[in-house]
Amino acid sequence: MKKLFIASQLIFSSVMAQDQVLNWTVEHAVTKEVLDAGTHGSVQEILIKKGELPDPFYGKNEEKFGWIENHTWEFESTFTVDDTSFQNDFLELIFPFVDVYAELYLNDSLLGVTQNAFRPYRFEVKSLLKHGENKIRAKFYPPVLFHKEMYEKANYHLPAPNDVHEIAIAPYTRKPQYQFGWDWSLRMNTIGFMKPVSLNASNGIRVVNKNVVTRSIDEQLTATIDLELHLIENQTEDLIWKSKLFGESVLRAEKGVIRRSETIDKAQLWWPRGHGDQHLYNDEWTISTIDGKVIYSSDVRFGIKQSKLINEKDQWGTNYEIWFNNKPIFCKGGDYIPQDVFPARVKDEDLRKMVEQLAATNFNMVRVWGGGYYPDDAFFEACDELGIMVWQDFMFACAMYPGNPDFLLNVQEEIEYQIPRIASHPSVTIFNGNNEVSVAWKYWGFQVRYNIYGKDADEVQASYDRLFKELIPTKVNQFSAQPYIHTSPLSHWGKDEFYDNGSQHYWGVWHGKDPMEDFAKKIGRFNAEYGFQSFPEYSTLLNFSTKDQWSLQSDVMKHHQKSYVGNLMIEKHANLLYGKAENFEQFIYLSQLTQSHAVSIAVSGHRLNFPRCMGTLYWQVNDVWSAPTWSSIDYYWNWKALNYHVKKDYEDVAILRKEPTPNQFEYYLISDVPQTFTCKVHFEIFDLKGKKLAENHFKKVMSQNENMKICLGELAGNYANQNVVVKFKWTTAEGKELTRDFSQLPIAYNKAGNDDSKISIHCHDSARKEMTIKVDVKRYVRNFWLFSEKAGLQFDDNFVDLLPGDHFFKIKYEGEAPSLESFGFQHL
Ligand code: BMA
């Protein structure tokens, strides 16, 4: 018998006190060696660990991994079941995340074939288990092998433009679509168990999901809620359900769900951050048989809230508004993709850290994009605690999907598990059927490219309707009270009228030929994607390249750029804004400034366009590997310029700037918060030598979603559009003071100036792992970027404009302290 672990959710009153986590071996498909495979992790990771394959992120090593998909791989585990375990009602093998086609055999009997990485597989195996030693075998068929025959015989191939294999079968396969290749990801089609497999013992009932659904909240704040337990098999006996909050009730399951409806007076509601508290109720549930035997018990945390989507005709076109507890909310955030190309490497603490970073960036919403996988509970729990609304896509992206009965049944089983699990979190705000599938079919030339016409085209369209307009919404309604929309975006980019209707993914600059300024002008009603690529910082580059490869022409840099548009698009816009870079290091820095500029002008355009525009989510928050992409936080947790700047653009009470024509600056005070409060604004104007030229202050009563133009011309005489620095200080509704500096210089000003800036360690608290770096600048510098060879440092601020004098950067670090020599800087 291999290692024993206590599973986190111990099934109550099992005779077998501990659930067993299985340890695996895998037979090398070519050499036939038997390799240790641990509790979980892909074949690819096992071969890396063994030393047979190198780090796939490095250089062009990705190319060394393709052969793995041409073989079947066999895993095996031997485990012991003792006699007492057989006294339990159920002995169950639970496979939470099998990637993906695997024939499973227990003691040589076929248990089943797993066909979906997005749902757990559970097999009740008591009758198949032996007293003593047992053996389980899993034979994995990579998707390409599994579908090859069907693919070769098919009349037409479903469009899957991101799948880089010649046998492009991503849409037929229920596993993370980005692993087939994406424009920000290498292809890494993992094979194996992405989470530990365990043998669990339980008695009486087997619970799959526990869920609390808010059905209504009236004006007196009386809420009606449903408490639900989803069971594997229906239970026809009466059961006693004890709840710490709601007392005892005798109930029976119907269609596999035990449900009780309750009311809460004076409910304390859950609100997104910035709009109220994130109240969470804690309950304890116990289920017993009528003669008092406890068969299940669990702690339950839930929130009371209602969200809805309003998507109706209005004066501008068709709106797209998220309402929370009956109030419209302006949504600010970004699109989240998986945190690694290897899902088995992502731990709960990584998910939590990510959500903490979103909160630190002043997000109130995150969109879980449909080409990845459904996040674990730890992600949603952190969103519940930190007040981040979740827009949850179903896992379909940028391809056309089958609609035959087998495929629909496969998806049905996936979503019957995922909908109640995900919707039980109060932070979850809206479900969306897919990413860009509808616009892809209409506008991406699929019919011509994949030769799909007539009856075939009708079939593709009918499959879309069955999946996204029938099956998924029916299940969302059955298992949740969440709003649902079949796709995002509802409107394509391109024609002027598109921007007036529904959700928008604005790709006119990156995928079209629009000028950069259009980010500020082409504003959808809800902007669920828009963005621009940049390169990650030097320490990240060094993780995949050597300095002699630091050029856009090197094979390694080309290999890491997965967008068909290529690195030239970054170079083109960086050159237009800042002029040609002097060297590659400067180009990296300018690429980040260009990206940040693009998103920043979009965000102020979007926020100031309220109420016509009700949301802004930039593409993309994070990365699955180290490469130039649209991310604002790189694979090693380094914030790019974009993340520092968007944090300021997303403040609930913010000062934003517009530049309607070059070198003409307009400042706005804007507030999203529900409180009406008096905002005190103070500003100072300096020349570039640091001499104060003017200052002034004013008070303004701000109500929710109000914005006010700050007329510098009136308040500060003729400095309005001069080459000066404007420093603002203002108060939030809680009385906190915020600051933001703006420079009114041409954007590329001073790029080639002399550099006599100096940095030194000002203080260092090694116990708290905090350090302050002093930066002494002799002349006015812009976008001063302090960086380090050590990855993942948290700077209080960065990419800031500095007047001559001393400035201080506060840094938090993990592990070893960075040395002074590890730091460097860039500025304009
Ligand atoms: C949208 C996204 C992603 C893609 C991005 C950049 O289509 O949904 O599929 O990575 O644009 O091209």
Side-chain angles (χ1 to χ4, degrees), residues 162 182-185 335 337 367 369-371 393 397-398 435-436 439 444 488-489 505 507 510-511 528-531 533 563-565 619-620 630:
N162 286 295
W182 215 268
D183 59 2
W184 36 260
S185 177
D335 293 274
I337 60 170
R367 170 171 174 236
W369 170 79
D393 283 8
C398 304
N435 176 71
E436 299 185 348
V439 283
W444 292 8
S488 183
H505 294 186
W507 285 110
W510 188 266
H511 293 295
E529 282 185 18
Y530 59 91
Q533 278 201 357
S563 170
Y564 71 94
V565 175
W619 182 265
Q620 74 202 57
W630 294 263

Side-chain angles (χ1 to χ4, degrees), residues 318-492:
T318 325
N319 66 5
Y320 195 98
E321 298 180 358
I322 300 291
W323 285 56
F324 222 91
N325 300 330
N326 260 330
K327 290 194 177 151
I329 305 275
F330 188 92
C331 301
K332 299 173 292 193
D335 293 274
Y336 166 79
I337 60 170
Q339 286 174 233
D340 204 305
V341 80
F342 294 109
R345 293 211 287 221
V346 182
K347 301 189 188 67
D348 282 359
E349 52 267 34
D350 300 319
L351 298 175
R352 169 163 280 277
K353 182 168 173 182
M354 178 56 68
V355 178
E356 285 167 357
Q357 304 254 315
L358 306 182
T361 313
N362 293 317
F363 279 32
N364 66 11
M365 175 179 264
V366 61
R367 170 171 174 236
V368 179
W369 170 79
Y373 56 93
Y374 304 98
D376 284 349
D377 288 332
F379 180 86
F380 297 106
E381 282 162 10
C383 290
D384 292 345
E385 286 162 28
L386 296 172
I388 310 281
M389 292 179 280
V390 180
W391 159 325
Q392 177 68 51
D393 283 8
F394 287 93
M395 291 301 128
F396 303 90
C398 304
M400 301 316 294
Y401 288 88
N404 57 57
D406 284 351
F407 187 82
L408 293 178
L409 182 62
N410 194 3
V411 172
Q412 181 178 326
E413 288 169 352
E414 161 192 328
I415 64 178
E416 284 182 345
Y417 169 74
Q418 294 293 358
I419 295 168
R421 179 181 77 85
I422 293 170
S424 69
H425 293 275
S427 54
V428 175
T429 301
I430 180 170
F431 278 120
N432 165 43
N434 63 66
N435 176 71
E436 299 185 348
V437 175
S438 175
V439 283
W441 183 238
K442 288 193 201 129
Y443 300 106
W444 292 8
F446 277 178
Q447 291 193 242
V448 183
R449 181 166 160 196
Y450 294 85
N451 194 20
I452 307 175
Y453 294 102
K455 194 163 92 328
D456 296 341
D458 293 345
E459 188 173 74
V460 171
Q461 182 63 56
S463 297
Y464 184 93
D465 293 345
R466 261 180 249 141
L467 194 52
F468 301 112
K469 294 193 167 166
E470 290 162 32
L471 175 66
I472 301 181
T474 306
K475 292 293 159 187
V476 169
N477 285 336
Q478 185 180 342
F479 292 114
S480 82
Q482 300 287 346
Y484 172 82
I485 189 82
H486 69 97
T487 193
S488 183
L490 290 169
S491 256
H492 195 40

